Amino acid sequence: MKNYDARQLAHAALQIADAGRDLAVRGWTPATSSNFSVRLDDAHAAITISGRDKGNLGADDVMVVDLHGKAVDTDARPSAETLLHTQIYARYADAGAVLHTHSHNQTVASRLWAKAGAIRFEGWELLKAISGTPTHETVIILPVFPNTQDMPALVKQVDAYIDSGTPLHGYLIDGHGIYTWGRDMAETRRHLEAFEFLLACELDLRRLNR
Amino acid sequence: MKNYDARQLAHAALQIADAGRDLAVRGWTPATSSNFSVRLDDAHAAITISGRDKGNLGADDVMVVDLHGKAVDTDARPSAETLLHTQIYARYADAGAVLHTHSHNQTVASRLWAKAGAIRFEGWELLKAISGTPTHETVIILPVFPNTQDMPALVKQVDAYIDSGTPLHGYLIDGHGIYTWGRDMAETRRHLEAFEFLLACELDLRRLNR
Amino acid sequence: MKNYDARQLAHAALQIADAGRDLAVRGWTPATSSNFSVRLDDAHAAITISGRDKGNLGADDVMVVDLHGKAVDTDARPSAETLLHTQIYARYADAGAVLHTHSHNQTVASRLWAKAGAIRFEGWELLKAISGTPTHETVIILPVFPNTQDMPALVKQVDAYIDSGTPLHGYLIDGHGIYTWGRDMAETRRHLEAFEFLLACELDLRRLNR
Amino acid sequence: MKNYDARQLAHAALQIADAGRDLAVRGWTPATSSNFSVRLDDAHAAITISGRDKGNLGADDVMVVDLHGKAVDTDARPSAETLLHTQIYARYADAGAVLHTHSHNQTVASRLWAKAGAIRFEGWELLKAISGTPTHETVIILPVFPNTQDMPALVKQVDAYIDSGTPLHGYLIDGHGIYTWGRDMAETRRHLEAFEFLLACELDLRRLNR
């Protein structure tokens, strides 16, 4: 069995707690929803334990899983959505952190664009905050997948999307919230902040333009 | 006369003050509105005294009532809505705390759905935050009762609803705010946070979809 | 010349600074707008000096005026709207504090209801937060006066309204913000919080019901 | 080569860090967007270095440029939009600070009024917060320029507008945010706060009046 580095775990737990505190203050993690993870190496990730208050995380609220979502060295129960985190680490070798939050805008937008299956962002300067987007003229697509309690089914949907070759920087689940990732926690938080901002703008344009 | 446990009262007062501080910061207790209670035993509850600033509660702002809403060992005046708290403890043996708040979303939603008599939540992942709701596919009904200053009349309405056998996790009063409860203060706060989030989402869908 | 009590002035300045800090954090005093006062006796009031940052007031930012709005014992320039404060102290013997703020909701509502000349609040439980309102069934009228830089003209409009005998708990000026008062600073802050809440609710009902 | 004053630079960096902290807390600088500058003398300005977190700026996050936007005494890369800052110092001899932020309201308004090419503010008391505006009866025009990654092209558009002689207190770029300035940082922050407030009001009137 391949082992993870305990110091890296401690560092990951700090990054997760720090992100949780900040995101909870913004109201993006209501009622113990949301989960956060950081890659430890090419076979392990640190992830939040199910049901904890995301605004007040400590080292005891983070556990290790392998990239199949199995708990490592612990009896704790990982978040129900662990497979959606480990899928990103398995599919994207350069992904270093994954954030799943549940803000008002993310949730409302997921319902509104569920039928269309995706939101198309265009003409926003803040698109440049998504890595690999050199100008505001780029179009970014954020898919919306149907919600289900059957995690393997959800994983399959995301796999099929990745296999289709369309660039993917994050996705919504209908009625549920967003998943996004980046090379490290700083980039992932920037991506999350950018998507939240863009969703809020698109929702408001719709309120104003109907 | 059956007595309550003074240490339990002190603990309940701390939980109430803590909840009040957090809910006041969110703006859910405007202009000294709102009231909070914690069950002490099968015959007593601790409840906020009428008219106090809910963001700055101390032990002196909490009093004991029996489950008929009568003050115990004090001349303080309990909140006008005390009967709505004690009713919950009397009807639900496992209810350990009751929160009544008065947020913008709760109040506006109560006016909008007053005629319909209830709000129907469906398709939201956060429904799982309500205890006994295993999946997001469950439907949860939040009734809206007409407002009246005649507390026994309000109590009767709620009693009739409970007697009808429909599961009840909370309710709105028209123009007034929400009541919700749970096994303990932590679960009750999670229920309150979930209902507030769901109300905000339903209101926004209505703004966006008209 | 009748003198004011220096200790009362010091106490009034503290109350004003405390209110300012709280109201600025809420965003109700943008860009050095707003002004606050406290009655000292039947001939004097303490009021904020013009142009100061309302979130960071000290004793030096408060001055004394007589009830004709003239500066007392100082060369400082009182706020341009001082006459609207002293008018309240002159007309209502039990008024102990006046708050004028400039929140988003107050300003937008003043524009929307300027033509109607008043906003009519009915059916809101929070109406009970306005002193002298025993039940939520009372109707409260908040008049909206046209804006003008001619203060004596504004004062005349308010005088005429008071002379008409309609109960007055506060008023809006078109494009400008709210004035409200109470027996002391605590009651005045409760009135301000209640009006802000009610305006936000009425605006949102209009967004939702059109 | 003319030199700048190191003490003035240190002071400018403090003012920029202070503004950044405050504006980031309000959510006006999402995802490392926005940039801030302060004039040092008639040939130099201090400006934020590209890509830094605007809520947590230190002396190392600020650099010196000349009024052609060239870095002075440093290898750091100035913000891509540096030319828009230095243009203001070159064209307005009394401009002492420039703030570019990226709030939700600024961004949404820029999209809505992009076709019209400008927003016209009228009837708002807060217009008096813009220097040189004696009464609320003044009309203030905030132009909206098309967005482009070609900075010299953007600079040309602004130059043409200034050359036209219409008074200019700030401008929006489509999908991008606002630029505003003033004699010093305090006046510039007051202008920014006033424009944000006015944009929020105009957007809301549009939501309410459609």
Side-chain angles (χ1 to χ4, degrees), chain C residues 11-166:
Chain C
H11 182 61
L14 277 179
Q15 289 187 302
I16 286 171
D18 193 42
R21 211 172 8 252
D22 182 49
L23 301 174
V25 163
R26 301 176 187 219
W28 301 2
T29 67
T32 77
S33 68
S34 306
N35 37 67
F36 318 130
S37 68
V38 167
R39 182 199 286 274
L40 297 178
D41 53 47
D42 59 1
H44 301 91
I47 192 164
T48 41
I49 295 177
S50 183
R52 305 293 166 93
D53 172 359
K54 299 311 182 295
N56 204 11
L57 295 171
D60 290 352
D61 299 311
V62 172
M63 62 183 288
V64 179
V65 290
D66 64 24
L67 294 202
H68 307 288
K70 294 245 164 64
V72 173
D73 287 346
T74 174
D75 295 336
R77 191 165 64 90
S79 162
E81 288 108 348
T82 296
L83 285 178
L84 297 173
H85 290 251
T86 55
Q87 172 181 39
I88 297 304
Y89 298 121
R91 296 293 309 250
Y92 295 110
D94 59 345
V98 177
L99 292 173
H100 164 47
T101 57
H102 204 114
S103 79
H104 173 84
N105 289 318
Q106 292 154 14
T107 307
V108 169
S110 74
R111 294 292 292 260
L112 273 181
W113 277 276
K115 235 186 204 164
I119 305 176
R120 197 177 181 276
F121 297 115
E122 186 173 14
W124 304 104
E125 177 74 13
L126 215 70
L127 287 169
K128 287 164 64 180
I130 309 292
S131 286
T133 312
T135 92
H136 73 283
E137 281 150 24
T138 314
V139 170
I140 284 192
I141 302 290
L142 186 71
V144 185
F145 297 114
N147 196 11
T148 166
Q149 303 303 313
D150 177 353
M151 278 305 125
L154 246 174
V155 167
K156 245 188 211 174
Q157 291 184 63
V158 179
D159 263 333
Y161 194 95
I162 296 175
D163 291 340
S164 78
T166 319

Side-chain angles (χ1 to χ4, degrees), chain A residues 29-33 102, chain B residues 26 28 106 121 124-131 133 140 142 169 178 180 186-202:
Chain A
T29 67
T32 77
S33 68
H102 203 114
Chain B
R26 300 176 188 219
W28 300 2
Q106 292 154 16
F121 297 115
W124 305 103
E125 177 73 14
L126 214 71
L127 287 168
K128 288 165 64 180
I130 311 291
S131 286
T133 313
I140 284 193
L142 186 72
H169 306 91
I178 200 170
T180 190
E187 187 177 280
T188 305
R189 288 174 69 167
R190 199 182 75 222
H191 287 174
L192 179 61
E193 214 174 323
F195 277 126
E196 169 73 15
F197 184 89
L198 294 170
L199 289 169
C201 286
E202 291 284 356

Side-chain angles (χ1 to χ4, degrees), chain B residues 32-195:
Chain B
T32 77
S33 68
S34 306
N35 37 68
F36 318 130
S37 69
V38 166
R39 183 200 284 274
L40 297 178
D41 54 45
D42 58 2
H44 300 91
I47 191 165
T48 41
I49 295 178
S50 183
R52 305 294 166 91
D53 173 359
K54 299 311 181 294
N56 204 11
L57 295 170
D60 290 353
D61 299 311
V62 172
M63 61 182 290
V64 178
V65 291
D66 64 24
L67 294 200
H68 307 288
K70 293 246 164 64
V72 173
D73 288 346
T74 174
D75 295 334
R77 191 165 62 90
S79 162
E81 289 108 345
T82 296
L83 286 177
L84 297 173
H85 289 252
T86 55
Q87 172 180 38
I88 296 305
Y89 298 122
R91 297 292 311 249
Y92 295 110
D94 58 345
V98 177
L99 292 173
H100 164 47
T101 55
H102 203 114
S103 80
H104 174 85
N105 289 319
Q106 292 154 16
T107 306
V108 169
S110 74
R111 292 293 292 260
L112 274 180
W113 278 275
K115 236 186 202 164
I119 305 176
R120 196 178 181 275
F121 297 115
E122 187 174 12
W124 305 103
E125 177 73 14
L126 214 71
L127 287 168
K128 288 165 64 180
I130 311 291
S131 286
T133 313
T135 91
H136 73 283
E137 280 149 25
T138 314
V139 170
I140 284 193
I141 303 291
L142 186 72
V144 184
F145 297 115
N147 196 12
T148 165
Q149 303 302 313
D150 177 353
M151 277 305 125
L154 246 175
V155 167
K156 244 189 213 171
Q157 291 185 63
V158 179
D159 263 333
Y161 194 96
I162 296 174
D163 291 341
S164 78
T166 319
L168 187 66
H169 306 91
Y171 57 83
L172 294 173
I173 304 177
D174 185 12
H176 194 150
I178 200 170
Y179 280 81
T180 190
W181 51 88
R183 269 169 306 188
D184 52 27
M185 183 56 95
E187 187 177 280
T188 305
R189 288 174 69 167
R190 199 182 75 222
H191 287 174
L192 179 61
E193 214 174 323
F195 277 126

Side-chain angles (χ1 to χ4, degrees), chain D residues 139-178:
Chain D
V139 170
I140 284 191
I141 303 290
L142 187 71
V144 185
F145 296 115
N147 196 12
T148 166
Q149 303 303 315
D150 177 353
M151 278 305 126
L154 248 174
V155 167
K156 243 188 213 173
Q157 290 183 64
V158 179
D159 263 334
Y161 194 95
I162 297 175
D163 291 341
S164 78
T166 319
L168 187 66
H169 307 90
Y171 57 83
L172 294 171
I173 305 176
D174 185 11
H176 193 150
I178 201 170

